[in-house]
Amino acid sequence: MFRIVKRQDMSSRYSTLLRIGSIFAALIFTALIIILLGYNPLQVYAKIVEGSLFSKFRITQTIHKMIPLITLSLGCAVAFKMKFWNIGAEGQFYLGALGATYIALNYGSLPPYILLPIMFVAGFICGALWALIAALLRTAFGASETLVTLMLNYIATNIIMYLQYGPWKDPEARGFAKIARFSPNAWLPTIFGVQSGWIITLILVVLIYFMFAKTRLGYQIQVIGENTQTASYAGMNVNKILIIAVILSGGICGIAGMMQASGVEHSLTYELSAGLGFTAVITAWLARLDPLNIVIVSTLFSVLLQGGTYIQTALQVPSSIAGIIQGVILFFVLASDFFVNYKIIRVKKETPDAAVSFDEGK
Amino acid sequence: MQKYDIELINISKSFGIVKANSEISLSIAPGEIHALLGENGSGKSTLMNILSGIYTPDEGIIKLDGSEVKFNSPSDSIAAGIGMVHQHFKLVDVMSATENILIGLPGGLFIKPKKATREIQAVADKYGLKIDLSKKVYEMSVSEKQTVEIMKVLYRGARILILDEPTAVLTPQEIVSLFGILRNMKASGCSIIIITHKLNEVMEISDRVTVLHKGRSIKTLVTSETDMTELTTLMVGKPISLEIKRTDAAAELIKPLLEVSDLTVLNADKREVLDNMSFTLSSGEILGVAGIAGSGQKELCETIAGLQRAASGDIIYKGQSIIKMNPRDIIKKGITMSFIPEDRLGMGLVGGMSVIDNVILKKVQMQKGIIVDRKAGKKAAERMIERFGINTPSTHTIVRKLSGGNIQKVLLGREIEMNPELLITAYPVRGLDIGASYNIYDILNEQKSKGVGILFIGEDLDVLLGLCDRIMVIHSGKNMGIVDAKSTTKEKLGLMMLGQRPDDMAS
């Protein structure tokens, strides 16, 4: 017979080790699945690493996933810290890209140093407004932000699809339904061979870290996330802070969309995000909403994503294996939380009147 | 009838590095009422949870009728005839007493209500419990709910009854009737263990008393051969005076501070939780508020503090109406009002944040600039730890990890450091040990003599009588009258708590 006992003494070192251990356990578990599918897991894992890191081009591709993923995770983390479950990063990403694209298509002749900042601001504002819908519905009617932000994702993708097949369809594309390429003025320049969005992303990481560690707003967001009763007791305007934080969250996701459209795709399609807005919910959570951890976790996930597409061509293994690994890692890390708080001990079942001394009983 | 005799021998239980029980021994004679006396954190609840099968001991032996037993789950313990009535009732509100008593019993798919009711009634009659079995729990008073809990245990055949702080929520009259029931049960052969930290109750009801201190059993005494002074000394570990000093503020400090008139507050169901309540509070005065739990204490505090909206009436603070203000407005107006709510981690503190972050909670709202000033916060936290003797590993420790008394001191300390003119405290010593409680009374008296007006929501009538200048008694949200603490009695307060007005009583 086993008993579950609550732990009282958990060092942070142990819990970190436990989390790293759970990722390894997830890899071992996935290896079993890969064997069942008839492939060699070691070879698959090796190819994932090879396919994401072993050439300049592949590294660039991986970084092109890292930039939006880190940015989107940061956006999610800002809202999650307040226990505002914004799972609408995907939609806010597309709206940000939409805002930037509108500027790029209509004012493409402006010089880059004017055009790009305007696109940046447009991306932020559109992403923020999209998230604001959920915040206002929540503060005014108590509507669940989880549902609202989720549904807004589908609306957002379909708006892009409509634009792509309708009003924004490029007449010069000979019948192809695609939005026109931006003029080079609207391209984010490349630095060290990679689109310069990485600089913006790193600045955001530092800013968000600083916000939570040092600023009043960051402090207030954390108090509200912990306990709204205490927050209003202390004289905080809970709804106002909530709305500011959601604007920030959606705006950051919008910036991710702007950077992807302007820096990588040089256009807008309804597949621009490749689902990263949903992956970001997972990475933000796995990183425990800590900006520095977000960089680490997002890097790992970008390697998986990029390597996943590579194994498809190199080994004819379905790229969905990478998806399985992601899912299994999430499950294992979440499950490891249980062992942070509890431990399982073995006890021998004894009949009530069997007099066993306690030394043997242990 | 079989006579039970329990022995706990050298019981030890650790939670991590904390030794909750170390080598505790305790024996219960048949038909005795045994009091378990000790401060919070002395290991009483842990020991009883071991006896009722919720925890398993690390070391030690439990003997029942001389032979050793092992309880791996509460059902083992119930089967052995041990039943525990917890401090917090575990009843289903929408069900009747009978249904609550039958829940969880093994048996067939269908219950036979008539037969069960007859059996339950027989048990109730045997022990002299008065109980309306068809009444729904939500219609019951606290004391009726407690009776149902006791019935639940007795109906399952318990011969050894453990009561965890049973009098904490009762009025003096209800306590008298509970003790009557306990004596009946004793007379019919039950053994009773009563956990308490109220000395007068130990003296009144128990045959023997075991004192626990810091996880160890200090001594078992025959109640009639000891006195309250000896018990206190054993319980606290050092001699301590049980008298609450009443200080007086200088006459020139006493001025009108707060005036509440015809205050009515509705709950979500539009029912009056405060009903036309009026009273005044002066600076340099402690006004006590007595009443059965849930009579409107929480709503009264929160409405004054601006956290709940009033339906009608007015609250005047130094000549200025604050009825429409929220906490933010109150802080902005420069009104220094401190509110120490009853559920400290639910409101007032942020459990998952450090001591420093909790100390700066209110200052952050008033400071300028975007950077949180944690340096000043650290200094304030260190000063507070020093002044109030807060026991914490560091100023960075997460507040939830501190003990109840220290959590309370963090809250009280923060509020007092702000030099309030009005202090509202709800059950400020709940969960605190005796030493810490007297510490808090001293702090309140010190504030009073500095001219602070204090609204003291209390539950222990002895404390209310000793500490306060005047006592307002509330019942179902109504003010039953304000009495002078120096001249009133506990019995009178008890009757007022049950809804009688002082003018209706024959004096």
Side-chain angles (χ1 to χ4, degrees), chain A residues 3 213-214 216 219 233 235, chain B residues 72 328 339 357 370 372 374:
Chain A
R3 278 181 84 92
K214 298 283 176 199
R216 276 176 65 185
Y219 175 81
Y233 161 93
Chain B
N72 283 319
R328 194 175 177 76
F339 170 36
D357 278 3
I370 59 159
V372 173
R374 284 201 175 79

Side-chain angles (χ1 to χ4, degrees), chain B residues 179-369:
Chain B
F179 283 0
I181 294 170
L182 296 186
R183 289 196 186 93
N184 279 342
M185 287 165 50
K186 175 186 161 182
S188 35
C190 286
S191 306
I192 294 161
I193 304 174
I194 174 167
I195 302 180
T196 181
H197 59 249
K198 290 187 189 162
L199 292 160
N200 49 357
E201 292 171 2
V202 174
M203 300 307 293
E204 190 183 335
I205 188 81
S206 71
D207 300 310
R208 287 196 302 156
V209 49
T210 296
V211 184
L212 300 188
H213 180 64
K214 292 190 174 160
R216 295 180 173 276
S217 45
I218 301 300
K219 208 172 185 181
T220 298
L221 306 123
V222 177
T223 310
S224 55
E225 291 167 9
T226 182
D227 57 44
M228 297 199 359
T229 321
E230 186 185 8
L231 289 177
T232 322
T233 311
L234 290 172
M235 174 161 81
V236 182
K238 57 177 187 244
I240 189 168
S241 162
L242 279 183
E243 215 178 322
I244 300 172
K245 282 169 258 142
R246 202 196 317 260
T247 51
D248 281 311
E252 70 266 21
L253 287 175
I254 298 175
K255 292 175 198 137
L257 181 67
L258 185 75
E259 191 187 334
V260 172
S261 48
D262 303 322
L263 186 65
T264 298
V265 174
L266 307 178
N267 66 4
D269 303 331
K270 302 278 172 229
R271 236 186 54 224
E272 285 107 354
V273 278
L274 290 183
D275 192 357
N276 259 313
M277 189 175 282
S278 302
F279 66 92
T280 58
L281 171 66
S282 309
S283 49
E285 176 193 42
I286 302 183
L287 175 66
V289 177
I292 300 168
S295 300
Q297 291 96 329
K298 186 175 188 276
E299 290 78 9
L300 176 62
C301 296
E302 291 188 357
T303 310
I304 298 174
L307 287 155
Q308 286 203 28
R309 295 273 73 89
S312 63
D314 208 351
I315 302 172
I316 311 283
Y317 178 88
K318 284 184 156 180
Q320 179 183 17
S321 172
I322 58 166
I323 189 92
K324 293 216 157 60
M325 294 187 187
N326 62 30
R328 194 175 177 76
D329 302 330
I330 291 173
I331 293 172
K332 275 191 177 160
K333 284 272 177 211
I335 296 172
T336 46
M337 174 200 294
S338 282
F339 170 36
I340 298 160
E342 55 178 299
D343 178 8
R344 297 140 202 169
L345 291 180
M347 183 193 282
L349 293 174
V350 189
M353 286 185 161
S354 69
V355 175
I356 294 180
D357 278 3
N358 274 286
V359 169
I360 59 176
L361 185 69
K362 283 189 169 171
K363 288 197 190 108
V364 167
Q365 311 312 312
M366 290 178 276
Q367 74 166 66
K368 293 201 170 63

Side-chain angles (χ1 to χ4, degrees), chain B residues 464-489:
Chain B
L464 280 163
L465 288 169
L467 183 70
C468 302
D469 299 296
R470 294 182 302 151
I471 300 172
M472 171 168 76
V473 182
I474 57 177
H475 171 77
S476 318
K478 291 190 187 71
N479 180 357
M480 288 291 120
I482 298 178
V483 291
D484 181 10
K486 290 177 200 106
S487 59
T488 194
T489 60

Side-chain angles (χ1 to χ4, degrees), chain B residues 12-79:
Chain B
S12 293
K13 173 78 183 172
S14 299
F15 298 103
I17 51 165
V18 183
K19 273 210 143 189
N21 284 173
S22 72
E23 295 172 12
I24 293 186
S25 295
L26 177 72
S27 58
I28 311 295
E32 87 164 334
I33 298 182
H34 196 114
L36 204 52
L37 182 68
E39 301 194 89
N40 290 89
S42 59
K44 296 171 298 193
S45 298
T46 307
L47 188 67
M48 288 305 109
N49 281 329
I50 288 173
L51 188 53
S52 58
I54 294 170
Y55 296 151
T56 44
D58 297 337
E59 281 167 58
I61 300 170
I62 303 173
K63 277 188 179 175
L64 198 63
D65 294 329
S67 57
E68 188 180 334
V69 288
K70 280 198 192 300
F71 299 142
N72 283 319
S73 72
S75 54
D76 292 350
S77 157
I78 291 168

